[in-house]
Amino acid sequence: MITVLRLGHRPQRDKRITTHVCLTARALGADRVLLDREDARVESTVRDVTARFGGPFTIESGVAWRSILREHAGPSVHLTMYGEPLGEVVSDLRAEAGGSVPEDVLVVVGAEKVPGDVYELVTRNVGVGNQPHSEVAALGVFLYALLGVEVLEGGFEGGEVRVVPQPRGKRVVPVDEEGDA
Amino acid sequence: MITVLRLGHRPQRDKRITTHVCLTARALGADRVLLDREDARVESTVRDVTARFGGPFTIESGVAWRSILREHAGPSVHLTMYGEPLGEVVSDLRAEAGGSVPEDVLVVVGAEKVPGDVYELVTRNVGVGNQPHSEVAALGVFLYALLGVEVLEGGFEGGEVRVVPQPRGKRVVPVDEEGDA
């Protein structure tokens, strides 16, 4: 189970960025996303995508995030430009999991500022580079580095449609024709 | 030279997402970003980051993007959920470049809709997965996959400060102390 925890979400200001965070989590192999602040609109958008393109993937907003962080049994990683190198942390996580992809990882993604105690509550603070960029890109690259290129090959079940890769143009087929990948 | 071309930018609506695209381009090894629509605010934000954290990195907005695409000598790749698998395209690009990182790549990143002829004007249409997610994450993962984890190790010159990776907390030092990485 890979969980993404989004902190610092402000429903008015961050709707689009947080939606990008959620959809990136789903597309790059996470199983669920949790938002600190309640936001029915983002929940609805993410559930619509999952209904159309498949799951399993769940979203919950307005969670008790400090309890979740404190009680999480597996490794938790906070993505921050101040953290340790991505390559080192991914190697460590895999080594701790006996050489394979670790189970039950909690990935914490903040908005512009996160409460200072987050740095202490997590297992690792990870820099996807040590430059200011985007929590959306940081999440995508972290999951890709952790899970490998296979994570892009699908594995979704149910939903209504699948996209079939094409050199040019767009091809979308009903799930009945393509089968559950 | 790796160039990121952002299409479909709407200055009012897309300021934050396009800023994330630009900063992701800079942090993940691109040399410059071009925006189809003129936007002095995004230009200013990106130049401020480059002045503080180093370069070289340039931004230009309001460019004649179809001419740029048509006249580009090296490979051009359009990131789209409908495109060919990332792993295959990256392998091909490296093979065409004699086994190393290709020079002079133009990476096209659209907003929600791109003009249909973009699919024809580029060398390759690439799916960073075939799921709807985020052009910011797609750009980050594409550049990471193309350039390798070393891209996160810095290599910026000038600017005022460098971030020094830390297990906990934040450490930022002046460039004089740290030297140009």
Side-chain angles (χ1 to χ4, degrees):
Chain A
M1 161 84 75
I2 293 182
T3 302
V4 173
L5 171 62
R6 164 69 160 170
L7 297 184
H9 172 61
R10 297 156 297 182
Q12 286 309 312
R13 185 169 149 76
D14 297 329
K15 179 176 180 292
R16 287 185 72 201
I17 298 281
T18 295
T19 299
H20 281 232
V21 165
C22 296
L23 296 182
T24 297
R26 176 185 169 280
L28 274 293
D31 300 282
R32 62 172 182 160
V33 67
L34 309 174
L35 312 185
D36 58 347
R37 291 273 297 278
E38 195 166 335
D39 192 327
R41 288 191 308 170
V42 170
E43 282 194 9
S44 171
T45 300
V46 172
R47 289 198 181 111
D48 286 352
V49 167
T50 302
R52 183 160 168 76
F53 292 95
F57 187 76
T58 61
I59 178 167
E60 193 180 337
S61 73
V63 303
W65 65 268
R66 275 197 179 84
S67 302
I68 289 167
L69 254 182
R70 284 203 187 96
E71 291 160 18
H72 182 70
S76 54
V77 295
H78 169 220
L79 307 185
T80 162
M81 65 180 278
Y82 302 102
E84 297 181 281
L86 174 69
E88 286 179 22
V89 174
V90 165
S91 293
D92 290 349
L93 289 173
R94 288 190 169 174
E96 290 160 14
S100 61
V101 172
E103 291 174 17
D104 209 22
V105 180
L106 180 61
V107 186
V108 184
V109 182
E112 285 166 29
K113 283 239 174 185
V114 299
D117 60 339
V118 170
Y119 289 83
E120 306 299 326
L121 287 169
V122 294
T123 316
R124 304 292 293 262
N125 292 281
V126 185
V128 178
N130 295 104
Q131 297 291 323
H133 56 105
S134 165
E135 63 267 37
V136 183
L139 177 63
V141 172
F142 175 79
L143 291 173
Y144 179 84
L146 183 71
L147 302 175
V149 69
E150 302 76 18
V151 76
L152 300 176
E153 287 163 15
F156 291 93
E157 295 166 10
E160 299 163 2
V161 296
R162 293 289 181 276
V163 171
V164 183
Q166 299 288 300
R168 311 273 166 195
K170 308 177 182 182
R171 184 162 179 237
V172 182
V173 300
V175 161
D176 286 350
E177 181 186 327
E178 180 72 353
D180 290 356
Chain B
M1 161 85 76
I2 293 184
T3 301
V4 173
L5 171 62
R6 164 68 159 170
L7 296 183
H9 172 61
R10 298 155 298 181
Q12 285 310 312
R13 185 169 150 75
D14 297 328
K15 178 176 182 289
R16 285 186 72 202
I17 298 282
T18 295
T19 300
H20 281 232
V21 165
C22 295
L23 296 182
T24 297
R26 176 184 169 279
L28 273 294
D31 299 282
R32 62 172 183 160
V33 67
L34 309 174
L35 311 185
D36 58 348
R37 292 273 297 280
E38 194 165 336
D39 192 327
R41 287 191 308 169
V42 171
E43 283 194 8
S44 171
T45 299
V46 172
R47 290 196 181 113
D48 286 351
V49 168
T50 302
R52 182 160 168 77
F53 292 95
F57 186 75
T58 61
I59 178 168
E60 193 179 338
S61 73
V63 303
W65 65 268
R66 275 197 178 82
S67 302
I68 289 167
L69 255 182
R70 284 205 187 94
E71 293 160 16
H72 182 71
S76 54
V77 296
H78 170 219
L79 306 185
T80 162
M81 65 180 277
Y82 303 102
E84 297 181 281
L86 174 69
E88 287 180 21
V89 174
V90 165
S91 293
D92 290 351
L93 289 174
R94 288 191 168 172
E96 289 160 14
S100 61
V101 172
E103 292 173 17
D104 209 21
V105 180
L106 180 62
V107 186
V108 183
V109 181
E112 285 165 30
K113 284 239 174 185
V114 298
D117 60 338
V118 170
Y119 289 82
E120 306 299 327
L121 287 169
V122 293
T123 317
R124 303 292 291 263
N125 292 281
V126 184
V128 178
N130 296 104
Q131 298 290 325
H133 57 105
S134 164
E135 64 266 37
V136 183
L139 177 62
V141 172
F142 175 79
L143 291 173
Y144 179 83
L146 183 70
L147 302 176
V149 69
E150 301 77 19
V151 76
L152 300 176
E153 288 164 14
F156 291 93
E157 295 166 12
E160 298 162 4
V161 296
R162 292 291 181 276
V163 171
V164 183
Q166 299 287 303
R168 312 273 165 195
K170 307 177 181 181
R171 184 162 180 236
V172 182
V173 300
V175 161
D176 286 349
E177 182 186 329
E178 179 72 352
D180 290 354

